[in-house]
Amino acid sequence: MADIAQDIPVATQAPPRHSSGALGWLRANLFSSVFNSILTLLAVALIAAVVPPVIRWALIDAIWSAPNGAACHGGGACWAFIGEKLRFILFGRYPIDQDWRPIGVVVIFLLMILAACDRRLWGRRLALLWFFGLSAVWILMAGGILGLSSVETALWSGLPLTLILAVVGMVFGFPLGILLALGRRSKLPAVRVICVGYIELVRGVPLITVLFMASLLLPLFLPAGVTIDKVLRAQIAFILFAAAYLAEVIRGGLQALPKGQVEAADALGLSYIQRTRLIVLPQALALVIPPLVNTFIGMFKDTSLVVIVSLFDLLGAAEFALTDANWQGFAVEAYVFVAVIYWCFCFFMSRYSQLLEREFNRGRRR
Amino acid sequence: MTSEEVSLSLTPPRPAPWRDPKIRGIVYQVVFVVAVVGTVAFLIHNMLDNISRQNIATGFGFLHKEAAFGIGESLIAYSPADTYGRAFLVGLTNTLYVAALGIVLATVLGTVMGLARLSSNWLVAKLAQVYVETFRNIPLLLQLFFWWGLLNSTAPPPRQAWQILPDVFVCNRGVEFPVPVASPAYYWVALAFVVGLVLSIVLRRAAKQRQMATGQQFPTGWATLGLVVGLPVVAFLVAGAPLALDVPVLKGFNFSGGEAISPEFAALLLGLVIYTGTFIAEIVRAGILAVSWGQSEAAMALGLRSGLRMRLVVLPQALRVIIPPLTSQYLSLTKNSSLAVAIGFPDLVSIANTTMNQTGQAVEGILMIMAVYLFISLAISLAMNLYNRAVALVER
Amino acid sequence: MSETAAITASMPEKTPATVIELQAVHKWYGEFHVLRDINLQVAKGEKVVVCGPSGSGKSTMIRCINRLEEHQQGRIVVAGIELNADVKNIEAIRREVGMVFQQFNLFPHLTVLQNLTLAPIWVRKLPKKEAEETARYYLERVRIPDQADKYPGQLSGGQQQRVAIARSLCMKPEIMLFDEPTSALDPEMIKEVLDVMIGLAEEGMTMVCVTHEMGFARTVADMMVFMDRGEVIERAPPKDFFSNPQSDRTRSFLSQILAH
């Protein structure tokens, strides 16, 4: 005989008031123990101490328009300074009448990056798109053909320069990084030693050293009389630097690839190049897309270092804007503005990378 | 057929040379090495050519020449009459000092923030997340400029210095703070600290043996705290409790007394610690999350309370995941300290830069910088590899 | 009065050796009512097998017994100790209740022997030698005495689960809880683990077991409990439970699980 049997279900009840709803949430998340309650109070005190003064400085007391620097002091933030210098910070010393060209360049870059986020385009179409995109960027910035007036690279500055240095660095550093990663895993000792040597050398020294090397030593390395312009020197430095870091990321992907893939390719009779191009690389690269995006984010932030070798990227242009005798003393406003621009780029790219990582993990977990 | 008629060759014949993978391998390597060496030789030839044409000196002889430039702050004695070599040494010590201090502070900040992100307190977790997301996505150089601008330009002159704590002032000359006046009592305090440290190590060992033998536990945590803190306090009191402080006092246009750290040093340290702290926070968080919840549940089911659970089960496993990327961040911080050149702190790169400008010997200067950083990188990599091998989890 | 309260009131007097008692236990995950009015008594030495479809709350219920999950309403008494927010009570209960997990949850950074001696040394405060003797005894009992110095990563799934059982036994608990102990094992290793559990049952251990292994249940269980959607639907000795289930839902579940 059964001790208990019931076919009539117990009615669903609502949870007790103190453990659900808004009160329950507060109790569980903010006041679950004495220690937590103290922390909550401290956190609230911190917010109350910091946020209102910042809002007052940034919004309430801020001065939004002023004729010159002297008139802009004495209140909160001087956003008039940003208004005055906006064009300079964004585009630097590029000729003002040709402004549509750097604007076009920034738009093209944004479109290229957005296109890269669309999974359906990955593959040959994306490569083609980027090739045309970069060519268009080059033509727009340099000019000299198609009826555009020529603009020397010394005048390239601001946001376009930042984007060019970062993107071109990654685009050219990528194939070099692949070669280095493959070389590092090669069975031929001479190749392996040279690749390891290069990677460890470049990864072991600060980026500033590589930039110094490029800007001070490259002219010496070239035959007498051959000059190389400053932007190109910095670009080469970024390419060499990116190649070493990308090589390590790609090496991680190559190591994570199951050995069975290589064995299957060999069993099918594929040569080394065929096996690498058709089987190994596509899979290895797909495995490490999130770290690749993270490397790009790092490179984007690192372009700010070119101000040390006297190039005017976004940060450099802001630094230069601060030297205007009429507008003195607005360093905080300038840095906050530039920080917001960098932050937007980097934050959304890192969110995208996290999204990719989640999707890839979902597909991988069995 | 007899066995003598059939000659079985036990070693297969070698293939034709151009098909033999061994020979091909050697040929590829020779070609590759020749190409690389050839390119390098070409570059070096050009370099020597250009150098001689521009009448730049070569060799490291300049290290013995007089430097003739001043250095703002230095841990060792230096004057412009000293050699370039000594100036370089000053830069090296400054770099190591900032790096060491930065590593310690960034680890503390990062660990606290990483744990905060895992807190069950929603507000604390969210604030930590705001910290990480904000400072991770802004370039370090920009952060350095910001802090330096704040401490250098926005900060008021000494006469109107901000007083953030009793006797601690922030002005555009730096951060002034009081220091204790030197007194023999402090030697006793230091001695007591060392004695306390040694005693606590001995105590822990004895307590462990006692636990193994009898099962009884001894509160070594509290005892260690008592020895390491209590003994110095006792020594301090016995030696007369000298509390005299050398306080910075405004005299005329500047402060005298107390100690100061320059705006450059403060900005560099602040920027490095806050920036690297975000990455360390994420590493710590990932490390603790990597330990599966089932481990904590098994420990709970066995009756281990939360402190023991953390110490015996979660932390040992979390540390294995945390330490490799952590040492990589330490390396990163050391390399990032080179950005000091942009805000005028006299670190290695900054001084080498000045030297290169004065002597024109860019090649030697850059070689020296690279040598130092490479040495540090390889040392840290080696240490990490040894650690990894020692604590690797044993699997099939 | 609810149906259940009426039934509970008419049940025979509890035997004095009740070691686990759940009275009108409710649990919510947010708004989701996951345990509804659970009433259960387990006597000393009794072997209870809990079965039911996935999502029925059976794992949640036994995890409430050693406070791995918290119940919001109702009373739970284990080994005479009231289970509430009091940390001392929770620790006392966890000392007397051993748990075996579906995913084994052995500590990978410690050897098998260290896994077994960890809790006796740090919770029961035994000397190391005594703890190791107990550990080797139980390793012998689960038939893997030569693996004492290996690490969990070097053992097969079946071996790991047996070590996990030995680890709980080293604390000499009064009650053993099993949360789907064989669900993560390859088929050829299930038998070795079930054999150990049968041996434990024959020695008189009080066991509450969530499992799909109906053969094991028929052999070992004193009482079958069927749960569905957070409620205890039916409770009966195995011979009645399998041959003459009273509730429709029980019948439907059994027909699915015993079909192959």
Side-chain angles (χ1 to χ4, degrees):
Chain A
M1 255 311 270
D3 287 5
I4 293 183
Q6 49 192 35
D7 276 309
I8 309 152
V10 175
T12 309
Q13 299 170 21
R17 246 200 93 233
H18 66 269
S19 76
S20 78
L23 213 61
W25 183 90
L26 276 178
R27 222 162 158 266
N29 287 310
L30 293 181
F31 298 104
S32 62
S33 73
V34 176
F35 181 62
N36 259 345
S37 309
I38 298 179
L39 280 182
T40 304
L41 292 174
L42 283 176
V44 169
L46 181 71
I47 296 178
V50 168
V51 171
V54 168
I55 295 186
R56 215 176 318 133
W57 174 85
L59 293 173
I60 302 176
D61 289 342
I63 303 176
W64 298 89
S65 75
N68 60 34
C72 211
H73 283 285
C78 174
W79 299 125
F81 172 71
I82 301 296
E84 171 80 18
K85 296 287 178 186
L86 180 65
R87 192 256 154 218
F88 186 81
I89 294 177
L90 286 181
F91 302 124
R93 291 152 65 210
Y94 208 84
I96 297 188
D97 56 326
Q98 301 284 319
D99 258 356
W100 63 273
R101 287 160 63 177
I103 294 178
V105 162
V106 173
V107 168
I108 292 178
F109 270 123
L110 285 176
L111 288 176
M112 280 165 63
I113 294 179
L114 283 173
C117 297
D118 183 354
R119 213 80 63 78
R120 293 166 298 180
L121 292 172
W122 284 3
R124 196 155 291 190
R125 274 195 285 181
L126 193 67
L128 227 63
L129 215 117
W130 273 53
F131 175 72
F132 283 121
L134 284 177
S135 316
V137 163
W138 169 261
I139 294 174
L140 276 178
M141 283 301 279
I145 62 172
L146 296 183
L148 296 169
S149 65
S150 144
V151 178
E152 51 167 353
T153 60
L155 295 178
W156 297 9
S157 32
L159 191 53
L161 185 63
T162 298
L163 285 168
I164 289 175
L165 286 173
V167 171
V168 173
M170 286 288 285
V171 165
F172 283 88
F174 196 65
L176 191 55
I178 293 179
L179 291 175
L180 284 169
L182 291 172
R184 184 163 181 167
R185 286 168 57 85
S186 160
K187 292 198 192 51
L188 306 174
V191 174
R192 197 171 58 231
V193 162
I194 292 181
C195 290
V196 168
Y198 174 85
I199 293 175
E200 292 301 326
L201 187 78
V202 174
R203 278 168 52 94
V205 298
L207 174 56
I208 193 72
T209 316
V210 182
L211 277 174
F212 274 165
M213 254 186 64
S215 53
L216 297 175
L217 296 188
L218 263 183
L220 292 178
F221 283 142
L222 295 174
V226 177
T227 55
I228 168 172
D229 91 9
K230 288 174 74 176
V231 172
L232 188 56
R233 290 181 221 174
Q235 187 66 79
I236 290 178
F238 277 111
I239 293 175
L240 294 177
F241 194 72
Y245 279 82
L246 287 172
E248 282 299 278
V249 174
I250 296 171
R251 184 171 81 110
L254 291 172
Q255 273 177 331
L257 191 66
K259 263 200 281 269
Q261 294 292 308
V262 171
E263 290 174 352
D266 280 342
L268 286 170
L270 297 175
S271 75
Y272 176 80
I273 296 186
Q274 289 171 326
R275 173 181 94 204
T276 307
R277 197 166 62 87
L278 298 170
I279 309 290
V280 173
L281 276 184
Q283 294 188 64
L285 292 177
L287 282 172
V288 294
I289 289 185
L292 285 177
V293 176
N294 285 338
T295 309
F296 179 66
I297 297 174
M299 184 113 293
F300 187 76
K301 289 187 289 180
D302 285 338
T303 57
S304 56
L305 266 68
V306 294
V307 67
I308 301 179
V309 289
S310 317
L311 286 175
F312 293 104
D313 73 318
L314 187 59
L315 182 58
E319 277 287 291
F320 196 76
L322 286 172
T323 62
D324 185 347
N326 278 332
W327 295 86
Q328 280 294 301
F330 300 115
V332 177
E333 286 85 344
Y335 292 144
V336 165
F337 176 65
V338 172
V340 167
I341 298 180
Y342 273 113
W343 189 89
C344 287
F345 270 99
C346 295
F347 180 71
F348 286 110
M349 284 195 285
S350 78
R351 271 275 178 265
Y352 177 67
S353 146
Q354 284 168 17
L355 184 83
L356 280 179
E357 214 162 346
R358 265 199 301 272
E359 288 191 10
F360 279 22
N361 279 339
R362 219 176 307 162
R364 223 157 286 286
R365 204 168 292 150
R366 262 161 259 137
Chain B
M1 258 200 283
T2 61
S3 49
E4 296 94 41
E5 286 170 7
V6 175
S7 57
L8 283 169
S9 160
L10 288 172
T11 53
R14 293 216 64 85
W18 60 88
R19 295 233 193 106
D20 185 350
K22 251 204 207 137
I23 298 194
R24 281 170 85 137
I26 296 180
V27 169
Y28 287 148
Q29 288 182 80
V30 166
V31 168
F32 185 71
V33 169
V34 163
V36 169
V37 170
T39 318
V40 171
F42 173 66
L43 294 176
I44 293 189
H45 169 81
N46 285 336
M47 182 184 78
L48 294 172
D49 201 37
N50 282 322
I51 284 182
S52 71
R53 191 160 341 105
Q54 296 175 29
N55 281 328
I56 303 175
T58 55
F60 289 92
F62 71 95
L63 286 174
H64 300 295
K65 287 213 282 232
E66 185 181 309
F69 64 88
I71 298 181
E73 40 192 309
S74 158
L75 287 177
I76 58 180
Y78 172 83
S79 80
D82 284 318
T83 61
Y84 282 119
R86 187 155 181 92
F88 198 75
L89 202 61
V90 170
L92 181 60
T93 51
N94 278 343
T95 291
L96 292 175
Y97 181 54
V98 157
L101 206 54
I103 284 174
V104 168
L105 293 176
T107 307
V108 169
L109 179 63
T111 309
V112 167
M113 284 301 174
L115 293 175
R117 277 209 70 178
L118 293 170
S119 165
S120 56
N121 187 319
W122 180 88
L123 200 57
V124 168
K126 271 285 176 266
L127 282 180
Q129 190 178 3
V130 165
Y131 158 73
V132 168
E133 291 295 346
T134 307
F135 291 102
R136 193 167 55 156
N137 289 314
I138 301 177
L140 176 58
L141 189 58
L142 178 49
Q143 295 185 38
L144 288 180
F145 281 162
F146 176 78
W147 293 119
W148 187 69
L150 206 63
L151 289 169
N152 207 34
S153 325
T154 314
R159 287 188 144 201
Q160 291 115 25
W162 299 327
Q163 186 168 12
I164 55 176
L165 287 174
D167 288 326
V168 178
F169 300 96
V170 176
C171 66
N172 60 14
R173 300 289 182 97
V175 179
E176 309 266 349
F177 52 92
V179 283
V181 174
S183 137
Y186 294 115
Y187 289 111
W188 291 112
V189 170
L191 189 66
F193 178 73
V194 171
V195 167
L197 213 58
V198 169
L199 276 182
S200 64
I201 293 177
V202 169
L203 182 76
R204 289 175 96 96
R205 202 165 295 178
K208 188 89 181 163
Q209 283 179 345
R210 179 164 167 263
Q211 188 190 16
M212 293 291 119
T214 68
Q216 291 169 331
Q217 292 166 20
F218 187 80
T220 49
W222 292 113
T224 306
L225 202 66
L227 283 174
V228 163
V229 171
L231 278 186
V233 167
V234 165
F236 181 70
L237 292 172
V238 163
L243 274 177
L245 287 177
D246 190 9
V247 167
V249 166
L250 189 58
K251 278 205 171 67
F253 284 103
N254 207 347
F255 284 94
S256 77
E259 280 289 320
I261 51 177
S262 68
E264 290 80 24
F265 182 79
L268 185 64
L269 200 61
L270 209 56
L272 281 175
V273 167
I274 292 181
Y275 183 72
T276 314
T278 64
F279 293 97
I280 295 182
E282 286 300 279
I283 290 171
V284 166
R285 185 176 83 109
I288 294 187
L289 286 179
V291 182
S292 75
W293 180 236
Q295 293 288 303
S296 292
E297 289 198 324
M300 280 193 267
L302 285 169
L304 288 166
R305 50 175 67 152
S306 88
L308 283 174
R309 220 157 57 218
M310 259 293 161
R311 195 153 65 90
L312 298 172
V313 175
V314 177
L315 272 185
Q317 298 185 57
L319 277 177
R320 278 175 176 80
V321 178
I322 288 175
I323 300 253
L326 190 67
T327 43
S328 157
Q329 281 302 315
Y330 288 167
L331 207 59
S332 220
L333 188 146
T334 310
K335 287 189 290 177
N336 281 337
S337 69
S338 60
L339 292 181
V341 67
I343 59 171
F345 177 75
D347 80 315
L348 181 70
V349 172
S350 179
I351 289 184
N353 196 28
T354 315
T355 308
M356 289 192 291
N357 283 335
Q358 284 192 295
T359 63
Q361 297 194 248
V363 176
E364 285 82 357
I366 290 183
L367 279 177
M368 285 167 68
I369 300 176
M370 284 173 59
V372 169
Y373 279 107
L374 269 179
F375 180 73
I376 299 178
S377 301
L378 289 177
I380 295 186
S381 290
L382 198 71
M384 185 178 80
N385 278 336
L386 286 175
Y387 171 81
N388 265 346
R389 215 167 305 172
V391 300
L393 288 180
V394 183
E395 288 180 3
R396 279 187 189 271
Chain C
M1 227 175 13
S2 73
E3 292 268 334
T4 350
I7 296 175
T8 318
S10 65
M11 269 168 29
E13 275 292 315
K14 304 195 277 279
T15 62
T18 304
V19 284
I20 303 179
E21 183 164 355
L22 278 75
Q23 281 180 11
V25 169
H26 292 259
K27 180 175 169 59
W28 288 264
Y29 281 136
E31 295 292 321
F32 176 55
H33 198 173
V34 61
L35 289 179
R36 304 164 188 237
D37 200 26
I38 304 289
N39 291 280
L40 192 68
Q41 278 134 26
V42 179
K44 190 172 172 66
E46 192 177 355
K47 295 142 216 350
V48 174
V49 170
V50 182
C51 61
S54 63
S56 55
K58 40 190 207 299
S59 281
T60 311
M61 182 187 74
I62 75 163
R63 286 152 64 88
C64 281
I65 295 176
N66 66 352
R67 201 67 170 184
L68 289 183
E69 304 274 0
E70 275 179 42
H71 61 285
Q72 278 101 2
Q73 220 176 31
R75 245 183 113 219
I76 300 184
V77 182
V78 179
I81 308 170
E82 178 91 25
L83 183 60
N84 52 26
D86 187 348
V87 175
K88 284 269 180 302
N89 286 6
I90 297 176
E91 284 176 9
I93 288 176
R94 284 178 178 167
R95 280 197 287 271
E96 302 308 323
V97 175
M99 183 149 192
V100 176
F101 299 85
Q102 183 178 353
Q103 300 293 339
F104 332 140
N105 288 336
L106 292 180
F107 305 132
H109 59 297
L110 303 174
T111 63
V112 163
L113 195 65
Q114 288 166 339
N115 263 276
L116 266 59
T117 56
L118 181 78
I121 289 178
W122 288 96
V123 179
R124 290 224 187 267
K125 302 196 169 64
L126 294 177
K128 183 166 168 190
K129 199 137 41 97
E130 200 181 312
E132 282 190 357
E133 271 169 28
T134 314
R136 289 192 196 277
Y137 169 71
Y138 281 111
L139 275 181
E140 187 84 42
R141 276 280 301 281
V142 299
R143 287 176 232 149
I144 36 176
D146 44 334
Q147 310 283 15
D149 295 314
K150 293 248 176 75
Y151 284 87
Q154 296 172 293
L155 304 178
S156 75
Q159 290 171 322
Q160 288 188 48
Q161 192 62 300
R162 285 186 278 155
V163 169
I165 297 176
R167 180 176 66 174
S168 299
L169 289 176
C170 282
M171 288 291 282
K172 311 251 178 73
E174 282 189 39
I175 305 161
M176 283 288 279
L177 303 176
F178 293 86
D179 187 1
E180 305 211 31
T182 56
S183 298
L185 293 175
D186 290 333
E188 66 268 18
M189 296 193 241
I190 294 182
K191 180 176 185 307
E192 66 196 46
V193 174
L194 289 180
D195 283 343
V196 168
M197 290 166 68
I198 293 175
L200 258 185
E202 282 167 2
E203 286 178 10
M205 173 67 78
T206 314
M207 290 164 62
V208 179
C209 195
V210 173
T211 185
H212 297 299
E213 296 290 327
M214 291 299 132
F216 165 79
R218 254 193 257 252
T219 315
V220 152
D222 294 323
M223 190 67 68
M224 298 292 301
V225 173
F226 174 69
M227 282 182 69
D228 188 19
R229 272 178 259 167
E231 308 167 50
V232 172
I233 304 293
E234 189 160 340
R235 207 180 86 165
K239 61 176 181 12
D240 297 325
F241 183 81
F242 286 109
S243 57
N244 195 11
Q246 298 286 308
S247 155
D248 278 336
R249 289 198 262 172
T250 320
R251 267 192 287 272
S252 136
F253 172 75
L254 283 175
S255 71
Q256 285 171 346
I257 202 172
L258 294 174
H260 53 276

